[in-house]
Amino acid sequence: MIIYTTEVQDINSFYRLESLKEVYGIIWMLVPILTLVLGITIGVLVIVWLEREISAGIQQRIGPEYAGPLGILQALADGTKLLFKENILPSRGNTRLFSIGPSIAVISILLNFAVIPFSSRLILADLNIGIFLWIAISSIAPVGLLMSGYGSNNKYSFLGGLRAAAQSISYEIPLTLCVLSISLRAILDIVEAQSKYGFWGWNLWRQPIGFIVFLISSLAECERLPFDLPEAEEELVAGYQTEYSGIKFGLFYVASYLNLLLSSLFVTVLYLGGWNISIPYIFVPELFEINKMNGIFGTTIGIFITLTKTYLFLFISIATRWTLPRLRMDQLLNLGWKFLLPISLGNLLLTTSFQLLSL
Amino acid sequence: MFLLYEYDIFWAFLIISSAIPILAFLISGVLVPIRKGPEKLSSYESGIEPMGDAWLQFRIRYYMFALVFVVFDVETVFLYPWAMSFDVLGYPYS
């Protein structure tokens, strides 16, 4: 009887230990994910505020100043307002596709944040094929645009959705080929290979053509001006977003800024040296050791540097939006297929020949 | 699919990020006022009555773009393994 009791007690304690381990495992996975989602949300809020302030500066007016100090909470106020707006479903439109469209756009862009290194050893999912996963998942976003264009029972939405999807897929091939050229020469991690000579070790100098093509392609992928036609107010009313109201429109809005943040982070990681300080080692040889980036202090500095470089690129893209005029649709598609695609193929060929000559 | 352990966190991220639009729709469904009207349900065509059906004939070039995109995408997928093992393969005469 006593042995039976102690056996039952043993089994009970073992079971409790096992379930605790399960719970610990789940929490160990959830905490980084929720931290990343929180970080992304704050990043989007900062980008929206930055866009309003920079556009105000370029247009010589004052930006938001009433919602919070210096208008910081403006994005939050906009989002909350959109939550309270009525959700109008168009009659005779496909209700399921209408709702799923913006969700797919947001989810597919949000998934790509899992493979970005914010500092050394600070990636959500350390996969071997990380960068390829970005290329693959970002190809799902045009499906969401097509769904939303078709599901609203509107000619203009339909045409806008087709145009937006055509633009998205046209600029993915030069993007993919530029990423291919970079992954051709990096034997180690892409960021570590850029850390040797500080500022001069950036991939920006090793592949200038690739950088320009990547810049243009990622601006076109995010549907930012000068490639703004899917949401041009004068052309197709609001393109595929015409019939949307309330939080579904808010989801498209958020997806656009998420895509911009994602592209900026990828430009930083691929071309601008990632989390390395990038001061040339000629001046201060001791700083070169900070490139090791261990411990909490090193990791925090890494995150800070990544975000600084990201926001530099963001500033450039926001300033571009408010400076350049819009391209027409056929000019846009011409640029993508007849200009950027041969150039990125040529860039790949050039990179390959330089690799061969140096081997 | 369940044997690749490094993808576990990716699936968890997928589930959580698909919960975000669902959460947004739920909150919106609770907070939103519903006042139906006939004008609200009609499609927008710059203020006039919509003429004709919404399923109009679209230009065939959109299908051609998708086709050519698939071709070039498959070509890129084939180029990736070559690029990864490029330093191993090298030039045939060296």
Side-chain angles (χ1 to χ4, degrees):
Chain A
M1 206 49 198
I2 302 175
I3 303 173
Y4 188 71
T5 318
T6 49
E7 265 184 13
V8 165
Q9 275 180 2
D10 278 344
I11 294 175
N12 273 345
S13 64
F14 182 72
Y15 174 71
R16 227 178 302 129
L17 201 63
E18 196 57 38
S19 68
L20 260 182
K21 261 194 248 171
E22 281 284 325
V23 169
Y24 183 66
I26 293 179
I27 293 181
W28 185 246
M29 255 201 300
L30 273 183
V31 167
I33 295 178
L34 291 176
T35 315
L36 183 66
V37 170
L38 189 69
I40 294 171
T41 313
I42 296 179
V44 169
L45 293 179
V46 169
I47 295 178
V48 174
W49 176 76
L50 255 185
E51 163 132 35
R52 309 280 284 251
E53 288 285 330
I54 294 175
S55 64
I58 292 180
Q59 296 169 348
Q60 292 186 332
R61 55 181 173 88
I62 314 174
E65 55 183 8
Y66 291 114
L70 284 181
I72 295 180
L73 299 177
Q74 181 67 42
L76 212 56
D78 280 341
T80 317
K81 173 202 77 169
L82 282 173
L83 266 178
F84 281 96
K85 293 286 185 179
E86 180 172 352
N87 219 347
I88 304 178
L89 296 169
S91 70
R92 302 187 59 207
N94 201 333
T95 317
R96 277 192 214 119
L97 287 181
F98 193 72
S99 308
I100 294 180
S103 317
I104 287 192
V106 167
I107 292 174
S108 66
I109 298 175
L110 207 50
L111 268 182
N112 293 323
F113 279 94
V115 293
I116 303 178
F118 287 96
S119 179
S120 69
R121 293 189 301 243
L122 203 68
I123 317 177
L124 197 65
D126 197 0
L127 309 167
N128 265 338
I129 57 160
I131 194 108
F132 199 49
L133 198 75
W134 168 51
I135 304 282
I137 296 185
S138 73
S139 301
I140 303 182
V143 175
L145 305 182
L146 278 172
M147 277 185 183
S148 44
Y150 175 76
S152 7
N153 190 25
N154 195 342
K155 301 185 213 24
Y156 297 108
S157 295
F158 187 44
L159 283 176
L162 284 175
R163 282 187 178 188
Q167 174 183 332
S168 243
I169 64 179
S170 302
Y171 282 89
E172 265 179 37
I173 312 274
L175 205 70
T176 316
L177 288 172
C178 287
V179 168
L180 193 63
S181 315
I182 291 186
S183 47
L184 193 81
R185 63 174 308 124
I187 311 169
L188 309 167
D189 283 332
I190 296 179
V191 177
E192 273 178 25
Q194 295 178 57
S195 69
K196 274 198 283 217
Y197 304 108
F199 179 64
W200 301 107
W202 284 355
N203 269 340
L204 172 61
W205 314 118
R206 292 183 193 166
Q207 305 218 336
I209 311 173
F211 177 65
I212 296 180
V213 172
F214 192 89
L215 217 69
I216 300 177
S217 304
S218 56
L219 272 182
E221 278 284 317
C222 304
E223 283 164 22
R224 306 275 301 175
L225 265 157
F227 305 106
D228 206 7
L229 209 63
E231 42 180 82
E233 273 93 4
E234 300 90 22
E235 312 280 337
L236 288 176
V237 192
Y240 57 92
Q241 300 170 7
T242 312
E243 295 283 338
Y244 280 89
S245 59
I247 197 61
K248 295 187 178 137
F249 180 74
L251 281 179
F252 274 127
Y253 191 64
V254 161
S256 169
Y257 286 111
L258 275 176
N259 213 350
L260 189 63
L261 181 62
L262 186 73
S263 300
S264 314
L265 278 168
F266 268 111
V267 166
T268 310
V269 165
L270 291 176
Y271 285 99
L272 295 183
W275 62 80
N276 296 312
I277 289 193
S278 307
I279 303 173
Y281 71 105
I282 315 173
F283 300 142
V284 182
E286 297 90 40
L287 265 184
F288 186 51
E289 261 126 52
I290 303 190
N291 276 337
K292 300 286 193 301
M293 294 294 180
N294 288 323
I296 295 188
F297 182 62
T299 314
T300 318
I301 294 221
I303 299 179
F304 183 67
I305 291 174
T306 309
L307 288 178
T308 311
K309 295 180 184 173
T310 306
Y311 280 100
L312 182 71
F313 177 71
L314 268 170
F315 177 79
I316 294 175
S317 70
I318 293 178
T320 309
R321 176 185 181 174
W322 294 99
T323 316
L324 296 178
R326 186 177 290 139
L327 282 184
R328 228 171 44 219
M329 193 65 191
D330 56 330
Q331 288 172 338
L332 211 151
L333 294 172
N334 265 346
L335 186 72
W337 288 107
K338 295 187 193 169
F339 187 66
L340 287 182
L341 180 60
I343 285 190
S344 54
L345 275 174
N347 180 34
L348 183 65
L349 199 62
L350 206 66
T351 314
T352 316
S353 0
F354 276 139
Q355 279 282 90
L356 276 179
L357 286 177
S358 68
L359 273 179
Chain B
M1 153 172 98
F2 293 114
L3 287 182
L4 291 169
Y5 291 111
E6 54 219 15
Y7 281 91
D8 278 349
I9 207 166
F10 182 74
W11 296 121
F13 194 43
L14 173 65
I15 293 177
I16 291 188
S17 61
S18 49
I20 293 179
I22 295 179
L23 200 69
F25 291 155
L26 280 176
I27 297 180
S28 183
V30 166
L31 292 172
V32 149
I34 305 180
R35 286 182 200 115
K36 289 203 193 289
E39 289 300 324
K40 274 191 194 173
L41 294 176
S42 60
S43 351
Y44 182 73
E45 199 159 319
S46 310
I48 58 176
E49 282 289 318
M51 298 192 245
D53 222 356
W55 294 356
L56 36 75
Q57 279 182 330
F58 56 92
R59 306 173 67 180
I60 199 66
R61 61 184 350 215
Y62 293 119
Y63 167 72
M64 308 300 284
F65 280 129
L67 196 64
V68 181
F69 164 71
V70 169
V71 169
F72 273 105
D73 214 19
V74 170
E75 180 215 350
T76 314
V77 166
F78 281 134
L79 274 177
Y80 258 98
W82 168 76
M84 287 298 121
S85 48
F86 181 68
D87 43 339
V88 174
L89 292 174
Y91 186 62
Y93 301 114
S94 74

